[in-house]
Every structure is written in structure tokens, then in C-alpha cells.
Amino acid sequence: MKKYRVARNCILFMVVGMLATPLFATPKPMLPLDRNIGQIVEIQDGSVEERALQALSESYSLSWIESYVPSSMRTGFVYTYDRILASHLPLQQLQIAQAIQRGHLYEVPFCYHEPTYGYGSTTWMKNEDGAFVLLSFTLDE
């Protein structure tokens, strides 16, 4: 009888230990969820999210266009987005959400909180060198 009690107690102790282990593990901090763009992500080196963060954090200029927009699209890109980028970049208190891959395109949602709240997205693709290049930009205020 005593042997069965000891075995039962050992089994119970192991089960409780296995179930309680996650309670003592260090939790990974949860980044905020934005109602317009989704889950904010931690930026990984070399990711399309990192590239978007860099582009949106810099002032709009000729060197900005040369850094982010493929040469074949620069004239049309400037014609389409020049005023909005010149008046908004660099964005302040910027947050980036998980990129959404659509075939060979990557849509990167973002939001900013300064001077007022706004959100939008950038669309990227990899060029022949494997670098992310910017194709389009949207902004909702």
C-alpha cells in the first residue's frame, strides 16, 4: 500500500512540475496591437520591416529616392509621391507591423504617433541583388 502511495505521489509531483514550468519561464514581452495595422513586431536585422523603418525615419531627398526606389521607377514614383513624402518624412514615433507577403511583393504596414496619429503601408520587392526596393507608399491620417 505504501509503495503505491509513493509511486502516486511521484507521478503527481512530475505532472504538477510539468504543468507549472511555463509559469516560471521568463515571458517574451508582448508588443502592442494597433487597431489599424495589426501586431507591432520587433525589427529583425536584414528584414523588409527594417528597410521600411529606415526609409520612413529619414528625410525625403534625392539621396532618399536613390537609396530606396529602383532606377526604372524613380520618375513615376517622384511624380506620384513627391508632395506627400516631402511633407511627412521623417515620421516620428514610428511602429512597424509584420510584413504581408503577396507573391514576390511585401506590404509593410506602419503607424506613427507624432505630431498626430496616422498609418499607412509601403510595398517592397527584392531586386536582382537581393536588396529590398520600394514600389509604393500609402498614408491615411
Side-chain angles (χ1 to χ4, degrees):
M1 190 63 122
K2 187 175 181 181
K3 190 189 302 186
Y4 292 115
R5 241 186 256 150
V6 171
R8 182 192 64 178
N9 289 343
C10 286
I11 291 171
L12 286 174
F13 181 72
M14 288 182 356
V15 169
V16 169
M18 289 183 343
L19 294 175
T21 299
L23 298 175
F24 299 108
T26 305
K28 186 174 182 179
M30 186 74 143
L31 294 171
L33 181 67
D34 183 274
R35 71 178 186 272
N36 293 306
I37 66 169
Q39 181 67 54
I40 306 302
V41 295
E42 186 174 326
I43 304 297
Q44 303 296 317
D45 290 340
S47 67
V48 67
E49 294 93 351
E50 179 185 46
R51 187 80 167 145
L53 179 65
Q54 291 169 345
L56 296 169
S57 299
E58 295 177 11
S59 295
Y60 180 67
S61 65
L62 178 59
S63 64
W64 187 95
I65 293 291
E66 292 171 345
S67 295
Y68 298 107
V69 180
S71 58
S72 62
M73 293 185 59
R74 288 182 185 154
T75 302
F77 190 92
V78 169
Y79 181 78
T80 305
Y81 302 110
D82 187 62
R83 286 187 182 191
I84 194 166
L85 291 171
S87 66
H88 285 83
L89 292 185
L91 295 175
Q92 303 296 313
Q93 294 185 11
L94 188 59
Q95 294 180 308
I96 303 291
Q98 180 70 45
I100 303 161
Q101 187 172 358
R102 303 177 195 283
H104 66 284
L105 302 178
Y106 300 83
E107 180 184 350
V108 181
F110 66 88
C111 67
Y112 59 94
H113 298 272
E114 191 66 38
T116 59
Y117 175 82
Y119 64 96
S121 68
T122 54
T123 303
W124 301 80
M125 68 176 241
K126 284 189 177 183
N127 66 10
E128 57 277 353
D129 299 329
F132 290 107
V133 291
L134 182 59
L135 302 178
S136 69
F137 176 85
T138 62
L139 187 66
D140 290 311
E141 298 181 275

